[in-house]
Amino acid sequence: KSEMITFLEKLKTKINNELNPEQLSLIDNSYLHSKHKSFDSNKFHIKLIIKSEKLKNMKKIDAHKVIFSILNEEMKNKIHALEIEIK
């Protein structure tokens, strides 16, 4: 398995354990940013699509804070950008 797939699975597991969402998809959009000046091939651009009643009932900023705190470690080291879509 590629490091990318393993990494995404690890993120999914973490989010599922904490939030138990109805649905969760993670999309690696890193390739879209490879031309950017600040591009770092060791860091990922991730789009997170999550269906979660729990998050939907929160203010958007609070829901985002919850996700960022779950992925705190990865945000420091591995994730360059995280786009969040809550359904």
Side-chain angles (χ1 to χ4, degrees):
K1 269 191 186 175
S2 76
E3 184 198 351
M4 183 65 219
I5 293 167
T6 314
F7 179 64
L8 288 180
E9 281 174 1
K10 191 177 144 198
L11 294 183
K12 269 191 175 172
T13 304
K14 272 186 117 164
I15 295 166
N16 280 324
N17 290 346
E18 295 279 337
L19 292 172
N20 193 19
E22 289 78 349
Q23 218 177 332
L24 177 64
S25 339
L26 290 170
I27 302 156
D28 173 26
N29 282 333
S30 303
Y31 71 95
L32 296 173
H33 304 272
S34 58
K35 302 279 183 285
H36 289 193
K37 214 160 51 179
S38 64
F39 184 74
D40 175 349
S41 61
N42 298 315
K43 293 198 171 187
F44 301 114
H45 286 250
I46 309 255
K47 178 167 183 167
L48 168 66
I49 303 166
I50 188 165
K51 184 176 194 276
S52 163
E53 282 305 315
K54 187 172 169 182
L55 291 179
K56 211 165 172 53
N57 293 327
M58 299 168 101
K59 284 196 187 113
K60 192 175 177 181
I61 185 148
D62 293 330
H64 283 209
K65 277 182 188 163
V66 168
I67 293 169
F68 282 118
S69 72
I70 294 169
L71 302 180
N72 184 17
E73 201 50 47
E74 291 80 4
M75 293 299 299
K76 281 186 204 143
N77 308 314
K78 280 288 200 181
I79 300 174
H80 175 71
L82 181 64
E83 187 188 336
I84 300 170
E85 188 181 317
I86 298 167
K87 296 191 163 194

